[in-house]
Amino acid sequence: MLIALDYDKTYTADPMLWDSFIAQATERGHIVHIVTMRNHAGEAILDAPAPVIYTDRKAKHRFINADIWIDDSPHWILQDAA
């Protein structure tokens, strides 16, 4: 499975939990990406435990075809930010 995990207020809400989840998912052959509406230029994530996809305030689904989305604000999966 390809799993998209939001960063702000999802991963950051409990990094130890998500680090364990990412490690276990990866060990089982799944792929986990951090998907964020941040932009890489001024809002880089330096401590990410998985590859990061920056969407620059665009709807996340445009950048990855995930099987599972884990996001505290799921409307940003389909909707651009202002």
Coordinates of all heavy atoms in Angstrom, one line a residue:
M1 N 0.8 -1.2 0.0 CA 0.0 0.0 0.0 C 0.9 1.2 0.0 O 1.9 1.3 0.6 CB -0.9 0.0 1.2 CG -2.0 -0.9 1.2 SD -3.1 -0.8 2.7 CE -2.0 -1.5 3.9
L2 N 0.4 2.3 -0.6 CA 1.0 3.6 -0.6 C 0.2 4.4 0.4 O -1.0 4.7 0.2 CB 1.0 4.2 -2.0 CG 1.6 5.6 -2.1 CD1 3.0 5.7 -1.6 CD2 1.6 6.1 -3.6
I3 N 0.9 4.9 1.4 CA 0.2 5.6 2.5 C 0.7 7.0 2.6 O 1.9 7.3 2.6 CB 0.5 4.9 3.9 CG1 0.0 3.5 3.8 CG2 -0.2 5.7 5.0 CD1 0.5 2.6 5.0
A4 N -0.2 8.0 2.6 CA 0.1 9.4 2.6 C -0.2 9.9 4.0 O -1.4 9.8 4.5 CB -0.7 10.2 1.6
L5 N 0.8 10.4 4.7 CA 0.6 10.9 6.1 C 0.9 12.4 6.2 O 1.9 12.8 5.8 CB 1.6 10.1 7.0 CG 1.7 10.5 8.5 CD1 0.4 10.2 9.2 CD2 2.9 9.8 9.1
D6 N -0.1 13.1 6.7 CA 0.0 14.5 6.8 C 1.1 14.8 7.9 O 1.3 14.0 8.8 CB -1.3 15.1 7.3 CG -1.3 16.6 7.6 OD1 -0.8 17.4 6.7 OD2 -1.7 17.0 8.7
Y7 N 1.7 16.0 7.8 CA 2.8 16.3 8.8 C 2.2 17.2 9.9 O 2.2 16.7 11.1 CB 3.9 17.1 8.1 CG 5.1 17.3 9.0 CD1 5.9 16.3 9.3 CD2 5.3 18.6 9.5 CE1 7.0 16.5 10.2 CE2 6.4 18.8 10.4 CZ 7.2 17.7 10.7 OH 8.3 17.9 11.5
D8 N 1.8 18.4 9.6 CA 1.4 19.3 10.7 C 0.1 18.9 11.4 O -0.9 18.6 10.7 CB 1.2 20.7 10.1 CG 2.5 21.3 9.7 OD1 3.4 21.5 10.5 OD2 2.6 21.6 8.5
K9 N 0.1 18.8 12.7 CA -1.0 18.4 13.5 C -1.5 16.9 13.3 O -2.5 16.5 13.8 CB -2.2 19.3 13.3 CG -1.9 20.7 13.8 CD -3.1 21.6 13.7 CE -2.7 23.0 14.1 NZ -3.8 24.0 13.9
T10 N -0.7 16.2 12.5 CA -0.9 14.7 12.4 C 0.3 14.0 12.9 O 0.4 13.6 14.0 CB -1.3 14.3 11.0 OG1 -2.5 15.0 10.6 CG2 -1.6 12.8 10.9
Y11 N 1.4 14.0 12.0 CA 2.6 13.5 12.5 C 3.1 14.2 13.7 O 3.5 13.6 14.7 CB 3.7 13.6 11.4 CG 5.1 13.1 11.9 CD1 5.4 11.8 11.9 CD2 6.0 14.1 12.3 CE1 6.6 11.4 12.4 CE2 7.2 13.7 12.8 CZ 7.5 12.3 12.9 OH 8.7 11.9 13.4
T12 N 3.1 15.5 13.7 CA 3.6 16.3 14.8 C 2.8 16.2 16.1 O 3.3 16.5 17.2 CB 3.7 17.8 14.5 OG1 2.4 18.3 14.2 CG2 4.6 18.1 13.3
A13 N 1.6 15.6 16.0 CA 0.8 15.4 17.2 C 1.4 14.3 18.1 O 1.2 14.3 19.3 CB -0.7 15.1 16.9
D14 N 2.0 13.4 17.5 CA 2.6 12.2 18.3 C 3.7 11.6 17.4 O 3.6 10.5 16.9 CB 1.6 11.2 18.6 CG 2.0 10.2 19.7 OD1 3.3 10.1 19.9 OD2 1.2 9.6 20.3
P15 N 4.9 12.2 17.3 CA 6.0 11.7 16.4 C 6.4 10.3 16.8 O 6.7 9.5 15.9 CB 7.1 12.7 16.6 CG 6.4 14.0 17.1 CD 5.2 13.6 17.9
M16 N 6.4 10.0 18.1 CA 6.9 8.6 18.4 C 5.9 7.6 17.9 O 6.3 6.5 17.4 CB 7.0 8.5 19.9 CG 8.3 9.3 20.4 SD 8.5 9.2 22.2 CE 8.4 7.5 22.6
L17 N 4.6 7.8 18.0 CA 3.6 6.9 17.4 C 3.8 6.7 15.9 O 3.9 5.6 15.4 CB 2.2 7.4 17.7 CG 1.1 6.7 16.9 CD1 0.9 5.3 17.5 CD2 -0.1 7.5 16.9
W18 N 4.0 7.8 15.2 CA 4.1 7.8 13.7 C 5.4 7.2 13.3 O 5.5 6.5 12.3 CB 3.8 9.2 13.1 CG 2.4 9.5 13.3 CD1 1.9 10.6 14.1 CD2 1.2 8.8 12.8 NE1 0.5 10.6 14.1 CE2 0.1 9.5 13.3 CE3 1.0 7.7 12.1 CZ2 -1.2 9.1 13.0 CZ3 -0.3 7.3 11.8 CH2 -1.4 8.0 12.2
D19 N 6.5 7.5 14.0 CA 7.8 6.9 13.7 C 7.7 5.3 13.8 O 8.2 4.6 12.9 CB 8.9 7.3 14.7 CG 9.3 8.8 14.4 OD1 9.0 9.3 13.4 OD2 10.0 9.3 15.3
S20 N 7.0 4.9 14.8 CA 6.8 3.4 15.0 C 5.9 2.9 13.8 O 6.2 1.8 13.2 CB 6.1 3.1 16.3 OG 5.9 1.7 16.4
F21 N 4.9 3.6 13.5 CA 4.0 3.2 12.4 C 4.7 3.1 11.1 O 4.6 2.2 10.4 CB 2.8 4.2 12.3 CG 1.9 4.0 11.1 CD1 1.0 3.0 11.1 CD2 2.2 4.7 9.9 CE1 0.2 2.8 10.0 CE2 1.4 4.5 8.8 CZ 0.4 3.5 8.8
I22 N 5.5 4.2 10.8 CA 6.3 4.2 9.5 C 7.3 3.1 9.5 O 7.4 2.4 8.4 CB 7.0 5.6 9.4 CG1 5.9 6.7 9.2 CG2 8.0 5.6 8.2 CD1 6.4 8.1 9.3
A23 N 8.0 2.8 10.6 CA 8.9 1.7 10.6 C 8.2 0.4 10.4 O 8.7 -0.4 9.6 CB 9.7 1.7 11.9
Q24 N 7.1 0.1 11.0 CA 6.4 -1.1 10.9 C 5.8 -1.3 9.5 O 5.9 -2.4 8.9 CB 5.3 -1.3 12.0 CG 5.9 -1.5 13.3 CD 4.8 -1.7 14.4 OE1 3.8 -2.3 14.1 NE2 5.0 -1.1 15.6
A25 N 5.2 -0.2 9.0 CA 4.7 -0.3 7.6 C 5.7 -0.6 6.6 O 5.5 -1.4 5.7 CB 3.9 1.0 7.3
T26 N 6.9 0.1 6.7 CA 8.0 -0.1 5.8 C 8.5 -1.5 5.9 O 8.7 -2.2 4.9 CB 9.1 0.9 6.1 OG1 8.5 2.3 6.0 CG2 10.2 0.8 5.1
E27 N 8.6 -2.0 7.1 CA 9.1 -3.4 7.3 C 8.2 -4.4 6.6 O 8.6 -5.5 6.1 CB 9.2 -3.8 8.8 CG 10.4 -3.1 9.5 CD 10.4 -3.3 11.0 OE1 9.6 -4.2 11.4 OE2 11.2 -2.7 11.6
R28 N 6.9 -4.1 6.5 CA 5.9 -5.0 5.9 C 5.7 -4.8 4.4 O 4.9 -5.3 3.8 CB 4.6 -4.8 6.7 CG 4.7 -5.2 8.2 CD 3.3 -5.0 8.9 NE 2.3 -5.8 8.3 CZ 2.0 -7.1 8.7 NH1 2.7 -7.7 9.7 NH2 1.0 -7.7 8.2
G29 N 6.6 -3.9 3.9 CA 6.6 -3.7 2.4 C 5.7 -2.5 1.9 O 5.5 -2.4 0.7
H30 N 5.2 -1.7 2.8 CA 4.4 -0.6 2.4 C 5.3 0.6 2.2 O 6.4 0.7 2.7 CB 3.3 -0.3 3.5 CG 2.4 -1.5 3.8 ND1 1.5 -2.0 2.8 CD2 2.3 -2.3 4.9 CE1 0.9 -3.1 3.3 NE2 1.4 -3.2 4.6
I31 N 4.7 1.6 1.5 CA 5.5 2.8 1.3 C 4.7 4.0 2.0 O 3.5 4.1 1.8 CB 5.6 3.1 -0.2 CG1 6.3 2.0 -0.9 CG2 6.3 4.5 -0.5 CD1 6.2 2.0 -2.4
V32 N 5.4 4.7 2.8 CA 4.8 5.9 3.5 C 5.5 7.1 3.0 O 6.8 7.2 3.0 CB 5.0 5.7 5.0 CG1 4.3 6.9 5.7 CG2 4.4 4.4 5.5
H33 N 4.7 8.1 2.7 CA 5.2 9.5 2.3 C 4.5 10.5 3.2 O 3.3 10.4 3.5 CB 4.9 9.8 0.9 CG 5.7 9.1 -0.1 ND1 7.1 9.4 -0.3 CD2 5.4 8.1 -1.0 CE1 7.5 8.6 -1.3 NE2 6.6 7.8 -1.7
I34 N 5.3 11.5 3.7 CA 4.7 12.6 4.3 C 4.2 13.5 3.2 O 5.0 13.9 2.3 CB 5.8 13.4 5.2 CG1 6.4 12.5 6.2 CG2 5.2 14.6 5.8 CD1 5.6 12.0 7.3
V35 N 3.0 14.0 3.3 CA 2.4 14.9 2.3 C 1.9 16.1 3.0 O 1.1 16.0 3.9 CB 1.3 14.2 1.5 CG1 0.8 15.1 0.4 CG2 1.7 12.9 0.9
T36 N 2.5 17.3 2.6 CA 2.2 18.5 3.3 C 1.8 19.6 2.3 O 2.4 19.6 1.2 CB 3.4 19.0 4.2 OG1 3.1 20.2 4.8 CG2 4.7 19.1 3.4
M37 N 1.0 20.5 2.7 CA 0.7 21.7 1.9 C 1.8 22.8 2.0 O 1.7 23.8 1.3 CB -0.7 22.3 2.3 CG -1.8 21.3 1.9 SD -3.4 22.0 2.0 CE -3.5 22.7 0.3
R38 N 2.8 22.6 2.8 CA 3.9 23.5 2.8 C 4.6 23.6 1.5 O 4.4 22.8 0.6 CB 4.9 23.0 3.9 CG 4.5 23.0 5.3 CD 5.6 22.5 6.1 NE 5.3 22.5 7.5 CZ 6.2 22.5 8.5 NH1 7.5 22.7 8.2 NH2 5.9 22.5 9.8
N39 N 5.4 24.6 1.4 CA 6.3 24.7 0.2 C 7.7 24.4 0.6 O 8.1 24.7 1.8 CB 6.2 26.0 -0.6 CG 6.6 27.2 0.2 OD1 7.8 27.3 0.6 ND2 5.8 28.2 0.4
H40 N 8.5 23.8 -0.2 CA 9.8 23.4 0.1 C 10.8 24.5 0.4 O 11.6 24.5 1.2 CB 10.4 22.5 -1.0 CG 11.6 21.8 -0.6 ND1 12.8 22.5 -0.6 CD2 11.9 20.5 -0.3 CE1 13.8 21.6 -0.3 NE2 13.2 20.4 0.0
A41 N 10.6 25.6 -0.4 CA 11.5 26.7 -0.3 C 11.6 27.4 1.1 O 12.7 27.6 1.6 CB 11.1 27.8 -1.4
G42 N 10.5 27.7 1.7 CA 10.6 28.4 2.9 C 10.1 27.6 4.1 O 10.1 28.1 5.3
E43 N 9.6 26.4 3.9 CA 8.9 25.7 5.0 C 9.4 24.2 5.0 O 8.6 23.3 5.3 CB 7.4 25.7 4.8 CG 6.8 27.1 4.8 CD 5.3 27.1 4.4 OE1 5.0 26.6 3.4 OE2 4.5 27.6 5.3
A44 N 10.6 24.0 4.7 CA 11.2 22.6 4.6 C 11.0 21.9 6.0 O 11.2 22.5 7.0 CB 12.6 22.7 4.2
I45 N 10.8 20.6 5.9 CA 10.7 19.8 7.1 C 12.0 19.0 7.1 O 12.4 18.3 6.2 CB 9.5 18.8 6.9 CG1 8.2 19.5 6.9 CG2 9.6 17.8 8.1 CD1 7.0 18.7 6.5
L46 N 12.8 19.3 8.2 CA 14.1 18.7 8.3 C 14.2 17.4 9.0 O 15.2 16.7 8.9 CB 15.0 19.8 8.9 CG 15.1 21.1 8.2 CD1 16.0 22.1 9.0 CD2 15.5 21.0 6.8
D47 N 13.2 17.1 9.8 CA 13.2 15.9 10.6 C 12.3 14.8 10.2 O 11.9 13.9 11.0 CB 13.0 16.3 12.1 CG 11.6 16.9 12.3 OD1 10.9 17.2 11.3 OD2 11.1 17.0 13.4
A48 N 11.9 14.8 9.0 CA 10.9 13.8 8.5 C 11.4 12.4 8.5 O 12.6 12.2 8.0 CB 10.4 14.2 7.1
P49 N 10.7 11.5 9.0 CA 11.1 10.1 9.0 C 10.8 9.3 7.7 O 11.0 8.1 7.6 CB 10.3 9.5 10.1 CG 9.0 10.3 10.1 CD 9.4 11.7 9.7
A50 N 10.3 10.0 6.7 CA 9.9 9.4 5.4 C 10.0 10.5 4.3 O 10.1 11.7 4.7 CB 8.4 8.9 5.5
P51 N 10.0 10.1 3.1 CA 10.1 11.1 2.0 C 9.0 12.1 2.1 O 7.8 11.7 2.5 CB 10.0 10.3 0.7 CG 10.4 8.9 1.1 CD 10.0 8.7 2.5
V52 N 9.3 13.4 1.8 CA 8.3 14.4 1.9 C 7.8 14.9 0.6 O 8.7 15.2 -0.3 CB 8.8 15.6 2.8 CG1 7.8 16.7 2.8 CG2 9.3 15.2 4.1
I53 N 6.5 15.1 0.4 CA 6.0 15.7 -0.8 C 5.4 17.0 -0.4 O 4.5 17.1 0.4 CB 4.9 14.7 -1.4 CG1 5.5 13.4 -1.9 CG2 4.2 15.4 -2.6 CD1 4.5 12.4 -2.3
Y54 N 5.9 18.1 -1.0 CA 5.4 19.4 -0.8 C 4.4 19.8 -1.9 O 4.7 19.6 -3.1 CB 6.6 20.4 -0.8 CG 7.6 20.2 0.3 CD1 8.6 19.3 0.1 CD2 7.4 20.8 1.6 CE1 9.6 19.1 1.1 CE2 8.4 20.6 2.6 CZ 9.4 19.7 2.4 OH 10.3 19.5 3.4
T55 N 3.2 20.3 -1.5 CA 2.2 20.6 -2.5 C 2.1 22.1 -2.8 O 1.3 22.5 -3.6 CB 0.9 20.0 -2.2 OG1 0.3 20.7 -1.1 CG2 1.0 18.5 -1.9
D56 N 2.8 22.9 -2.0 CA 2.7 24.4 -2.2 C 1.3 24.9 -2.2 O 0.9 25.6 -3.1 CB 3.4 24.8 -3.5 CG 3.7 26.3 -3.6 OD1 3.8 26.9 -2.5 OD2 3.8 26.8 -4.7
R57 N 0.5 24.5 -1.2 CA -0.9 24.9 -1.0 C -1.9 24.4 -2.0 O -3.0 24.8 -2.1 CB -1.0 26.4 -0.9 CG -0.1 27.1 0.0 CD -0.3 26.8 1.5 NE 0.4 27.6 2.4 CZ 1.6 27.3 2.9 NH1 2.3 26.3 2.5 NH2 2.2 28.1 3.7
K58 N -1.5 23.4 -2.8 CA -2.4 22.7 -3.8 C -3.0 21.5 -3.2 O -2.4 20.9 -2.2 CB -1.6 22.4 -5.1 CG -0.9 23.6 -5.7 CD -1.9 24.5 -6.3 CE -1.2 25.6 -7.0 NZ -1.7 26.9 -6.8
A59 N -4.1 21.0 -3.7 CA -4.7 19.8 -3.2 C -3.8 18.7 -3.3 O -3.1 18.4 -4.3 CB -6.0 19.5 -4.1
K60 N -3.7 17.9 -2.2 CA -2.7 16.9 -2.1 C -2.8 15.7 -3.1 O -1.9 15.1 -3.5 CB -2.7 16.3 -0.7 CG -2.3 17.3 0.4 CD -2.4 16.8 1.8 CE -2.0 17.8 2.8 NZ -2.1 17.3 4.2
H61 N -4.1 15.4 -3.5 CA -4.3 14.3 -4.4 C -3.6 14.5 -5.7 O -3.4 13.5 -6.5 CB -5.8 14.0 -4.5 CG -6.5 14.9 -5.5 ND1 -6.7 14.6 -6.8 CD2 -7.0 16.2 -5.3 CE1 -7.3 15.7 -7.4 NE2 -7.5 16.6 -6.4
R62 N -3.3 15.7 -6.1 CA -2.6 16.0 -7.4 C -1.2 15.5 -7.4 O -0.6 15.3 -8.5 CB -2.6 17.5 -7.6 CG -4.0 18.1 -7.8 CD -3.8 19.6 -8.1 NE -5.1 20.2 -8.1 CZ -5.2 21.5 -8.3 NH1 -4.2 22.3 -8.5 NH2 -6.4 22.1 -8.2
F63 N -0.6 15.2 -6.2 CA 0.8 14.9 -6.1 C 1.1 13.4 -5.8 O 2.3 13.0 -6.0 CB 1.5 15.8 -5.1 CG 1.4 17.2 -5.4 CD1 0.3 18.0 -5.2 CD2 2.5 17.8 -6.1 CE1 0.2 19.3 -5.5 CE2 2.4 19.2 -6.4 CZ 1.3 19.9 -6.2
I64 N 0.1 12.7 -5.4 CA 0.4 11.3 -5.0 C -1.0 10.5 -5.1 O -2.0 11.1 -4.7 CB 1.0 11.2 -3.6 CG1 1.3 9.7 -3.2 CG2 0.1 11.8 -2.5 CD1 2.1 9.6 -1.9
N65 N -0.9 9.3 -5.6 CA -2.1 8.5 -5.7 C -2.1 7.5 -4.6 O -1.8 6.3 -4.8 CB -2.1 7.8 -7.1 CG -3.4 7.1 -7.4 OD1 -4.4 7.4 -6.7 ND2 -3.3 6.1 -8.3
A66 N -2.3 7.9 -3.4 CA -2.2 7.1 -2.2 C -3.4 6.2 -2.1 O -4.5 6.5 -2.5 CB -2.2 8.0 -1.0
D67 N -3.1 5.0 -1.5 CA -4.2 4.0 -1.2 C -4.9 4.4 0.1 O -6.1 4.2 0.3 CB -3.6 2.6 -1.0 CG -3.0 2.1 -2.3 OD1 -3.7 2.1 -3.3 OD2 -1.8 1.8 -2.3
I68 N -4.1 5.0 1.0 CA -4.6 5.4 2.3 C -4.1 6.8 2.7 O -2.9 7.1 2.5 CB -4.2 4.4 3.5 CG1 -4.7 3.1 3.2 CG2 -4.6 5.0 4.8 CD1 -4.3 2.0 4.2
W69 N -5.0 7.7 3.1 CA -4.7 9.0 3.5 C -4.9 9.1 5.0 O -6.0 8.7 5.5 CB -5.6 10.1 2.8 CG -5.4 10.2 1.4 CD1 -6.0 9.5 0.4 CD2 -4.4 11.1 0.7 NE1 -5.5 9.9 -0.8 CE2 -4.6 10.8 -0.6 CE3 -3.5 12.0 1.2 CZ2 -3.8 11.6 -1.6 CZ3 -2.8 12.7 0.3 CH2 -2.9 12.5 -1.1
I70 N -3.9 9.7 5.7 CA -4.0 9.9 7.2 C -3.8 11.4 7.3 O -2.7 11.9 7.1 CB -3.0 9.1 8.0 CG1 -3.2 7.6 7.7 CG2 -3.2 9.4 9.5 CD1 -2.1 6.8 8.3
D71 N -4.9 12.2 7.7 CA -4.8 13.6 7.7 C -5.8 14.2 8.7 O -7.0 13.8 8.7 CB -5.1 14.1 6.3 CG -4.6 15.5 6.0 OD1 -4.9 16.4 6.8 OD2 -3.9 15.7 5.0
D72 N -5.4 15.1 9.5 CA -6.3 15.7 10.4 C -7.3 16.7 9.8 O -8.3 17.0 10.3 CB -5.5 16.5 11.5 CG -4.9 17.7 11.0 OD1 -4.1 17.6 10.0 OD2 -5.1 18.8 11.6
S73 N -7.0 17.1 8.5 CA -7.9 18.0 7.8 C -8.0 17.5 6.4 O -7.4 18.0 5.4 CB -7.3 19.5 7.7 OG -7.1 20.0 9.0
P74 N -8.8 16.4 6.3 CA -8.9 15.7 5.0 C -9.5 16.6 3.8 O -9.3 16.2 2.7 CB -9.9 14.5 5.3 CG -10.6 14.9 6.5 CD -9.7 15.8 7.3
H75 N -10.1 17.7 4.1 CA -10.6 18.5 3.0 C -9.4 19.0 2.1 O -9.6 19.2 0.9 CB -11.4 19.7 3.4 CG -10.8 20.6 4.4 ND1 -10.6 20.3 5.7 CD2 -10.2 21.8 4.2 CE1 -10.0 21.2 6.4 NE2 -9.7 22.2 5.5
W76 N -8.2 19.1 2.7 CA -7.0 19.6 1.9 C -6.5 18.5 0.9 O -5.7 18.8 0.1 CB -5.9 20.0 2.8 CG -6.2 21.2 3.7 CD1 -6.0 21.3 5.0 CD2 -6.8 22.4 3.2 NE1 -6.5 22.5 5.4 CE2 -6.9 23.2 4.4 CE3 -7.2 23.0 2.0 CZ2 -7.4 24.5 4.3 CZ3 -7.7 24.2 2.0 CH2 -7.8 25.0 3.1
I77 N -7.0 17.3 1.1 CA -6.6 16.3 0.1 C -7.2 16.6 -1.3 O -6.5 16.4 -2.3 CB -7.1 14.9 0.6 CG1 -6.4 14.5 1.9 CG2 -6.9 13.8 -0.5 CD1 -7.0 13.3 2.5
L78 N -8.4 17.2 -1.3 CA -9.1 17.5 -2.6 C -9.2 19.0 -2.9 O -9.6 19.3 -4.0 CB -10.5 16.9 -2.6 CG -10.6 15.4 -2.4 CD1 -12.0 14.9 -2.3 CD2 -9.9 14.7 -3.6
Q79 N -8.8 19.8 -1.9 CA -9.1 21.2 -2.1 C -7.8 22.0 -2.0 O -7.0 21.8 -1.1 CB -10.1 21.7 -1.0 CG -10.4 23.1 -0.9 CD -11.3 23.4 0.3 OE1 -12.1 22.5 0.7 NE2 -11.2 24.6 0.8
D80 N -7.6 23.0 -2.9 CA -6.5 23.9 -2.7 C -6.7 24.9 -1.6 O -7.8 25.2 -1.2 CB -6.3 24.8 -4.0 CG -5.9 24.0 -5.2 OD1 -5.5 22.8 -5.1 OD2 -6.0 24.5 -6.3
A81 N -5.6 25.4 -1.0 CA -5.7 26.4 0.0 C -5.6 27.8 -0.7 O -5.1 27.9 -1.8 CB -4.5 26.3 1.0
A82 N -6.1 28.8 0.0 CA -6.1 30.1 -0.6 C -4.7 30.7 -0.6 O -3.8 30.4 0.0 CB -7.0 31.0 0.3

